[in-house]
Amino acid sequence: MTEIKELSQFLALDVRLDVKALALQQTLGLTGTTDGRHLLINTPCIVKNLCQLLNDGQNSVAKDASLALINLSADEDVIPALLAEATNIVEHMLKIISNPEHNLADPACMVLSNLTRTKLGSEKVFQSMEGNLDKYIDIFCQEKYNKKGARLHYLASVLSNLSQLPAARSYILDPSRSCLQRLVSFTDYKDSICRRGAILGLIKNCCFETDHHEFLLSEAVDLLPKLLIPLAGPEEFDEEDNDKLPIDLQYLGEEKTREPDPDIRKMLLEALTQLCATKFGREYLRSKNTYVILRELHKWEKNENVLVVLEHLVNILIRFEHEISHDNLKEIEVPDEITEKFNALEPAL
């Protein structure tokens, strides 16, 4: 422990470059093992010093410091210590992400993505944003926000993790803020599976809020086409079926391809299934001929896990409302073992 304390003294901006670089290499090595991470996290000033080195004038030093923080934050056991007031790690990362001239914005997003995998981390990050989540959604939606080439794809994971908090969902679903309206455009984003997958995770979490189903399916958000387009293929429909589809799904063309990732296809179907929890959602999906898109997907789909969710969704849509006989499926009293299965799908940290 004494050696670690001595090591921390060399992790400072004003230390000679060669000494600082050597100390960082040793620190980075320690972050690769469980014992090493626990040694570091229990040493005062280590995390704080690493955060300060993110602004070192030598790029190699700043990059190694960022890698050490990514490794530390990937260990859930050390996250509570990382979030201690003295480290200010969350504030450091948010400041870097907000700076369009900082070349370590992507690693900063990765650190926050790791931290927000826990409830404690999500609460801390949401609190540190000081009710200004819009600011980070604005940054995320500007693909060339960072002038040093950072793409900020992992900011999507941060937003998705935050959406597991009821307070964050309320913020995102507030119609006066237009948060969700800006995010739904990324459901079919081709350049990053991380970006589109995480945003779909956020949307799925929001679909659990049954009181907001009418808003989600309204023209303001227009969520249904955003969920169906990635599931649609090049199939042509007759005029009657085609006219019932949302306008964005009519005449997609023979070059249209489906979402290639099975986990994302499953997430899309799970979001649609959540929208079917309310009578309004079920009737809206039926009125927009959702079934024909799902029918063609069923002919194409080979993944068993996706097929299970798909068949469950189709089973809901093809039933008559008098057979379902409940406005909100979540308000039905069901046996404990079934409740546990439903709860396993809920947004949780």
Side-chain angles (χ1 to χ4, degrees):
M1 184 64 80
T2 304
E3 293 172 350
I4 302 293
K5 284 183 179 178
E6 290 178 359
L7 183 65
S8 70
Q9 297 172 15
F10 302 119
L11 300 174
L13 292 169
D14 56 358
V15 170
R16 205 174 71 206
L17 177 59
D18 57 337
V19 176
K20 181 167 44 181
L22 182 59
L24 255 178
Q25 282 299 311
Q26 291 178 310
T27 303
L28 191 54
L30 287 168
T31 65
T33 67
T34 301
D35 289 343
R37 289 191 293 272
H38 283 269
L39 273 174
L40 291 170
I41 207 68
N42 290 316
T43 305
C45 295
I46 283 278
V47 174
K48 189 175 181 180
N49 289 357
L50 286 171
C51 288
Q52 290 174 345
L53 288 180
L54 295 175
N55 296 310
D56 196 278
Q58 187 70 28
N59 285 340
S60 60
V61 168
K63 186 176 180 181
D64 281 351
S66 73
L67 291 174
L69 288 168
I70 290 170
N71 289 349
L72 285 170
S73 60
D75 187 337
E76 288 193 18
D77 290 338
V78 305
I79 285 178
L82 274 177
L83 294 170
E85 289 295 327
T87 67
N88 290 326
I89 186 170
V90 172
E91 290 76 9
H92 278 290
M93 299 306 120
L94 290 174
K95 188 173 181 180
I96 288 171
I97 292 167
S98 302
N99 182 356
E101 300 294 334
H102 208 294
N103 59 5
L104 290 177
D106 277 337
C109 289
M110 291 178 193
V111 171
L112 289 188
S113 175
N114 286 341
L115 293 175
T116 53
R117 287 183 299 134
T118 68
K119 183 178 181 182
L120 179 66
S122 281
E123 289 174 341
K124 174 66 176 174
V125 171
F126 189 57
Q127 178 188 1
S128 298
M129 288 179 171
E130 297 177 334
N132 199 13
L133 186 57
D134 297 70
K135 171 184 174 181
Y136 299 95
I137 291 175
D138 284 340
I139 290 171
F140 173 76
C141 292
Q142 296 177 54
E143 292 186 61
K144 295 183 179 179
Y145 176 83
N146 186 278
K147 309 307 179 194
K148 300 294 184 179
R151 300 299 305 277
L152 307 180
H153 294 323
Y154 276 88
L155 189 50
S157 298
V158 178
L159 297 173
S160 181
N161 290 342
L162 291 180
S163 74
Q164 296 173 94
L165 298 173
R169 288 200 300 279
S170 294
Y171 189 106
I172 292 165
L173 285 164
D174 183 344
S176 69
R177 298 186 190 278
S178 301
C179 294
L180 203 56
Q181 291 92 314
R182 285 174 281 167
L183 294 172
V184 292
S185 62
F186 292 100
T187 57
D188 203 26
Y189 185 79
K190 303 298 185 188
D191 291 348
S192 169
I193 189 172
C194 170
R195 183 175 279 244
R196 72 177 184 274
I199 290 305
L200 275 166
L202 177 148
I203 291 169
K204 187 182 90 168
N205 288 343
C206 289
C207 288
F208 281 91
E209 301 292 336
T210 54
D211 290 346
H212 289 83
H213 279 187
E214 291 191 34
F215 170 62
L216 289 169
L217 294 169
S218 69
E219 288 185 9
V221 181
D222 202 24
L223 182 58
L224 184 60
K226 306 299 192 300
L227 297 177
L228 289 179
I229 286 173
L231 298 173
E235 297 84 9
E236 293 184 6
F237 302 107
D238 61 40
E239 189 174 342
E240 183 181 355
D241 272 339
N242 210 52
D243 288 346
K244 292 178 185 174
L245 287 167
I247 190 70
D248 291 347
L249 278 102
Q250 296 178 16
Y251 308 107
L252 290 175
E254 60 184 23
E255 295 181 1
K256 174 68 175 71
T257 59
R258 290 184 170 88
E259 165 59 53
D261 186 87
D263 290 332
I264 293 182
R265 293 198 302 275
K266 181 169 175 280
M267 221 180 327
L268 287 158
L269 292 166
E270 287 170 342
L272 290 166
T273 302
Q274 287 308 315
L275 291 172
C276 287
T278 57
K279 182 179 180 180
F280 175 85
R282 294 189 296 273
E283 291 184 336
Y284 187 84
L285 265 64
R286 292 186 191 115
S287 74
K288 295 299 181 181
N289 216 10
T290 300
Y291 171 74
V292 299
I293 301 295
L294 301 180
R295 181 191 67 202
E296 298 306 314
L297 174 63
H298 191 268
K299 295 175 185 176
W300 175 90
E301 185 60 64
K302 300 293 187 290
N303 186 282
E304 287 296 326
N305 293 328
V306 178
L307 280 169
V308 168
V309 182
L310 174 56
E311 289 167 5
H312 175 58
L313 173 57
V314 169
N315 187 45
I316 294 172
L317 288 175
I318 63 176
R319 292 169 71 189
F320 293 107
E321 279 305 313
H322 72 265
E323 295 177 294
I324 297 173
S325 71
H326 287 278
D327 185 15
N328 191 333
L329 297 181
K330 294 194 174 186
E331 294 172 356
I332 304 172
E333 289 188 18
V334 294
D336 291 343
E337 65 270 18
I338 303 297
T339 302
E340 289 173 9
K341 291 180 181 179
F342 273 113
N343 287 343
L345 295 172
E346 292 280 359
L349 282 166

